[in-house]
Amino acid sequence: MNFIQEKGKGLLLCLIIAVPSWFLGQQFPIIGGPVIAIIAGMILTLFLKDKSAFQAGITFTSKKILQWAVILLGFGLNLSVVITTGKQSLPIIIATITTSLVISYVLCRMLKMPSKISTLVGVGSSICGGSAVAATAPVIDADDEEVAQAISVIFFFNVVAALVFPALGNAIGFDTTSGEAFGIFAGTAVNDTSSVTAAASTWDSMHNLGSATLDKAVTVKLTRTLAIIPITLVLAFWQAHKAKTAADGAEGAGSGFDFKKSFPFFIIYFIAASLITTVAGSFGVPASFFAPVKTLSKFFIVLAMAAIGLNSNIVKLIKTGGKPLFMGFCCWVGITGVSLVLQHVLGLW
């Protein structure tokens, strides 16, 4: 009863935004429900003069439900299937992820940007867009405005890639009798799954390839998504280490530090969900069995993004968006270039 009294109004407000955003995202997949929800939340909050009655529920949604979304996301990863079918593109995936993370780190230092927004843009650009941001944000304790900024940057380059890459593929001479080369390119160089799907489907339509390009691109993208596991684990231990160092410095060695509070254990649950899916798959359980859970995880992300939008100042984001946008551009160009060069070197194009 206390939960409903404290958080009910805020949670209901987030649902009012999330439900139509979810359905609009189905109609406009290149934009997606999370982006629609975050924009709607940012606009609506301009008209809410007093959010005190909603704040507890909004905060719960942007923090806890976001973590639940990440845990449930694990049920969409059958590790053995993804690794087996995506190993051909693994060198390109590793190289593009490394490129993006290095670029974001270097620009963070050069431009004197906040480390959390740099991490979110770098991880989101290199792995899987909004899902990677959703998984990383609670680990590094990023605030809602930093998440909104990163999502906005990644969304912009998602749309550009989906619109430009099919024409680029034609211009540079990708094989049009098979969807393999462009599928690997789309799967490694486009951030978000919805935009990967859009770009690959466009290539299939342009060259009458059925769903050959789309199948390849989605497989490569799923392989790339696996990088969420090691990266979030490293970030989690790094955050716990920083918390321990701060506690030791403030209160004496070994005192004042609680590992359970500092380490984001939801990442362990995410990995456990992936392992459950993998083991179940090895015993013949079809992937469709986990489809409802995967759908719920995606809706939870939309719900959390609505809350993040409600906690964000759109005017401030626009004023401070120059450096993150430049960083996103550099990451995007770097990933695209490395993907093309390595495909050529490996004889895939």
Side-chain angles (χ1 to χ4, degrees), residues 170-193:
N170 276 331
I172 62 179
F174 274 135
D175 180 14
T176 58
T177 61
S178 161
E180 185 163 310
F182 189 83
I184 293 174
F185 176 53
T188 53
V190 184
N191 301 336
D192 199 74
T193 303

Side-chain angles (χ1 to χ4, degrees), residues 70-95:
V70 174
I71 294 169
L72 296 179
L73 205 61
F75 288 103
L77 290 177
N78 185 319
L79 306 182
S80 60
V81 172
V82 172
I83 291 173
T84 300
T85 57
K87 60 186 177 182
Q88 178 192 31
S89 58
L90 198 57
I92 302 173
I93 291 170
I94 293 171

Side-chain angles (χ1 to χ4, degrees), residues 26-289:
Q26 307 300 306
Q27 298 300 313
F28 304 99
I30 195 172
I31 299 174
V35 173
I36 295 171
I38 206 168
I39 292 173
M42 286 191 289
I43 293 172
L44 181 58
T45 200
L46 295 174
F47 300 95
L48 286 177
K49 294 182 180 180
D50 183 8
K51 290 193 296 185
S52 57
F54 304 100
Q55 194 57 57
I58 293 172
T59 301
F60 173 81
T61 305
S62 71
K63 302 298 182 184
K64 290 297 182 182
I65 288 185
L66 184 59
Q67 293 181 13
W68 297 348
V70 174
I71 294 169
L72 296 179
L73 205 61
F75 288 103
L77 290 177
N78 185 319
L79 306 182
S80 60
V81 172
V82 172
I83 291 173
T84 300
T85 57
K87 60 186 177 182
Q88 178 192 31
S89 58
L90 198 57
I92 302 173
I93 291 170
I94 293 171
T96 52
I97 290 173
T98 302
T99 298
S100 180
L101 295 177
V102 169
I103 288 173
S104 64
Y105 176 79
V106 171
L107 288 181
C108 175
R109 294 302 183 92
M110 288 178 59
L111 301 176
K112 295 181 172 57
M113 289 178 59
S115 61
K116 291 179 182 178
I117 183 68
S118 302
T119 301
L120 292 177
V121 171
V123 170
S125 298
S126 62
I127 301 176
C128 56
S131 297
V133 172
T136 305
V139 174
I140 63 174
D141 197 26
D143 65 36
D144 289 345
E145 288 194 346
E146 289 169 328
V147 175
Q149 190 84 75
I151 290 287
S152 300
V153 168
I154 289 165
F155 159 69
F156 177 76
F157 291 108
N158 277 342
V159 174
V160 173
L163 296 175
V164 170
F165 277 9
L168 176 63
N170 276 331
I172 62 179
F174 274 135
D175 180 14
T176 58
T177 61
S178 161
E180 185 163 310
F182 189 83
I184 293 174
F185 176 53
T188 53
V190 184
N191 301 336
D192 199 74
T193 303
S194 58
S195 295
V196 170
T197 301
S201 297
T202 299
W203 186 263
D204 279 331
S205 298
M206 288 168 63
H207 303 290
N208 298 313
L209 296 174
S211 63
T213 310
L214 179 60
D215 293 343
K216 186 67 177 182
V218 170
T219 300
V220 172
K221 185 66 178 62
L222 286 174
T223 308
R224 188 174 156 199
T225 301
L226 292 180
I228 287 179
I229 295 174
I231 285 179
T232 51
L233 272 177
V234 169
L235 289 171
F237 280 109
W238 175 246
Q239 285 296 112
H241 170 73
K242 287 202 301 182
K244 184 178 186 302
T245 302
D248 289 349
E251 303 184 35
S255 65
F257 175 74
D258 188 335
F259 182 80
K260 288 184 178 180
K261 290 183 179 179
S262 299
F263 188 86
F265 279 92
F266 75 93
I267 292 299
I268 303 299
Y269 303 143
F270 163 74
I271 296 170
S274 303
L275 292 174
I276 289 170
T277 303
T278 304
V279 172
S282 68
F283 282 100
V285 177
S288 58
F289 179 80

